[in-house]
Amino acid sequence: MAEKDYYEVLGVERSASEDDIKKAYRKLAIKYHPDKNPGDKEAEEKFKEISAAFEVLKDSDKKRKYDQFGHDAFRGGAAGGGGVDPFDLFRDAFGGGGGGGFGSIFEDFFGGGSPAGGSPEHQRGRDLRVSVEISLAQAASGVEKEIKYQHYAECSTCAGSGAASGSGNVMCSTCGGIGQVASNQGFISIRRTCPTCSGSGVTIEDPCLSCKGEGRKKAPTNIKVNIPKGVADGNRLCSRGRGDAGPRGGPNGDLYVDVRIKQHAFFERDEDDLFHEMMIPFTLATLGGTVQVPTLDGKVSLKIPPGTPSNKTFRIKNKGMPNLRSPSRMGDLYARVIIQVPEKLSKEQREKLVEFGQSCGEKDLSAEEGFMGKAKRFFDGEN
């Protein structure tokens, strides 16, 4: 049976660009992949066919030979170098493994691909998280805090290489330097990360005794972190490169600092605004006057008008918290009045208060009988 023309198989013109060939292959590969057509032998054969066509047409040298000699240019398996690996084709067509494309999905499904972050020589260290507690006043003004934590730091003995002095890397004998080992399951060749070299393709000839070839060691450290004004409870700051060092000279991860703000004795916070409950005597609420209200940067005077009721809230502008994104913009302080009633009165005070109440038209007031006595008579049904 005559072999089909590779351009026909992919449905492209002979003048098609490399991107057009990749797009055509991608569309057909998704349509006919065995995972989408379980048990469909026709789809399986079609998938093999388009994979073989793409293997030739994706390579400019092979494509030139095919255009000149047709299938005769690859008699004896020269086109595939011993067979077509569909996952290699997926990597080529979808932009290289690890980019989150369709190819990487199939590699993850079948257990292939390299570890996150690449080979150990270039594997990034882990990100770390710590927390720091500050006061509300420090959150308002900004503060520098020293943080102590444990992390993996570069081994000082081998300078992060993982190798003893005078030693170097040798090719991994398990994978032959490729970083992956392959196993065949039917027509599919599945590649997995080499268990010996963890995908690097090399092993250390003479590992550093201090870090056992890892290139890093656990160590305590401390850094100073500038916490900006206006920060809120639960905000997270990032210090780049302060996380774990990567194995064998890999880049450092980052350090994330979670901010915790201690509860304040006087203030409740809502975004950039502060709230304060203020106790004032009933005489001041009645007659009016001036009180001193605490703020985060000292006391301010507040005028209380005569006849102020309980729960009246006063707004004091620009005495709240600075805005994190615009520190020059300030929130407000809201002071709520709670009227304080004396629990005990002297005989003279009581007489004068009764006289005042009677002058206001209040009835049934007696200097001898307090409020509790009247309440008791009411609930007992007495007049």
Side-chain angles (χ1 to χ4, degrees):
M1 185 175 65
E3 294 178 273
K4 290 184 181 179
D5 180 81
Y6 284 157
Y7 290 99
E8 267 185 51
V9 170
L10 295 182
V12 297
E13 300 293 332
R14 287 186 172 271
S15 58
S17 66
E18 184 180 342
D19 284 342
D20 290 336
I21 291 171
K22 285 184 178 181
K23 288 177 183 177
Y25 171 71
R26 177 169 56 233
K27 183 178 179 181
L28 293 170
I30 293 173
K31 180 178 180 181
Y32 292 106
H33 195 279
D35 284 346
K36 295 195 69 175
N37 303 274
D40 188 337
K41 293 295 183 182
E42 186 177 342
E44 183 178 314
E45 290 302 319
K46 185 69 174 177
F47 183 70
K48 290 181 184 180
E49 194 175 72
I50 61 176
S51 296
F54 181 65
E55 171 68 9
V56 171
L57 299 184
K58 74 183 179 69
D59 184 287
S60 59
D61 185 54
K62 292 178 182 177
K63 182 176 180 295
R64 179 180 54 80
K65 292 179 181 178
Y66 179 76
D67 290 343
Q68 187 173 3
F69 301 107
H71 292 286
D72 290 337
F74 309 111
R75 298 300 180 195
V84 175
D85 180 352
F87 292 105
D88 279 341
L89 302 185
F90 269 102
R91 279 189 289 272
D92 290 334
F94 293 89
F102 197 75
S104 64
I105 295 174
F106 278 95
E107 288 184 0
D108 290 340
F109 182 81
F110 286 105
S114 58
S119 62
E121 280 79 7
H122 304 96
Q123 185 178 340
R124 183 176 180 273
R126 286 192 315 158
D127 294 334
L128 300 179
R129 284 179 59 185
V130 296
S131 62
V132 61
E133 188 176 60
I134 62 173
S135 67
L136 186 64
Q138 289 173 328
S141 62
V143 65
E144 182 182 72
K145 296 288 286 187
E146 185 174 64
I147 298 173
K148 298 180 180 180
Y149 64 104
Q150 293 269 344
H151 77 140
Y152 277 105
E154 181 184 275
C155 175
S156 57
T157 304
C158 65
S161 69
S165 179
S167 175
N169 294 335
V170 294
M171 185 177 68
C172 175
S173 59
T174 303
C175 65
I178 299 174
Q180 294 181 328
V181 291
S183 60
N184 295 320
Q185 294 186 9
F187 73 95
I188 297 178
S189 176
I190 299 176
R191 296 191 177 190
R192 302 179 185 277
T193 302
C194 176
T196 303
C197 65
S198 300
S200 68
V202 297
T203 56
I204 298 175
E205 184 180 19
D206 186 11
C208 171
L209 295 178
S210 181
C211 64
K212 297 180 175 57
E214 192 171 354
R216 59 181 187 167
K217 295 174 65 176
K218 200 81 169 177
T221 189
N222 58 294
I223 63 167
K224 290 183 178 179
V225 176
N226 288 316
I227 299 176
K229 60 174 63 176
V231 69
D233 186 71
N235 280 166
R236 179 176 295 173
L237 310 177
C238 179
S239 182
R240 299 292 180 191
R242 297 286 190 171
D244 280 343
R248 301 183 197 171
N252 285 25
D254 298 328
L255 176 68
Y256 290 93
V257 181
D258 292 329
V259 178
R260 296 285 177 254
I261 299 178
K262 290 181 283 189
Q263 188 173 6
H264 198 277
F266 300 138
F267 304 113
E268 293 288 338
R269 180 179 181 180
D270 183 10
E271 296 184 352
D272 296 339
D273 295 327
L274 295 177
F275 294 82
H276 171 63
E277 287 190 348
M278 179 175 55
M279 303 286 289
I280 64 171
F282 76 98
T283 50
L284 178 60
T286 303
L287 302 174
T290 302
V291 295
Q292 297 295 306
V293 181
T295 71
L296 288 174
D297 54 2
K299 293 182 178 181
V300 296
S301 296
L302 176 66
K303 186 176 180 180
I304 304 295
T308 295
S310 189
N311 294 320
K312 170 73 175 178
T313 300
F314 295 89
R315 176 190 178 194
I316 305 174
K317 294 185 66 175
N318 299 325
K319 288 298 181 180
M321 298 289 292
N323 183 273
L324 180 61
R325 293 176 178 81
S326 180
S328 61
R329 184 160 60 89
M330 299 291 292
D332 299 325
L333 170 63
Y334 291 87
R336 185 164 71 96
V337 168
I338 305 296
I339 296 178
Q340 187 177 20
V341 179
E343 295 181 359
K344 294 182 179 181
L345 296 174
S346 67
K347 183 178 180 182
E348 183 182 2
Q349 289 172 331
R350 183 182 298 276
E351 289 174 349
K352 289 183 177 180
L353 191 58
V354 168
E355 183 181 348
F356 170 76
Q358 289 174 341
S359 70
C360 293
E362 296 180 16
K363 298 179 180 180
D364 197 25
L365 290 173
S366 169
E368 289 76 29
E369 184 178 31
F371 171 79
M372 294 304 295
K374 292 183 177 61
K376 184 176 184 302
R377 286 196 297 107
F378 175 81
F379 285 109
D380 288 343
E382 302 177 12
N383 294 324

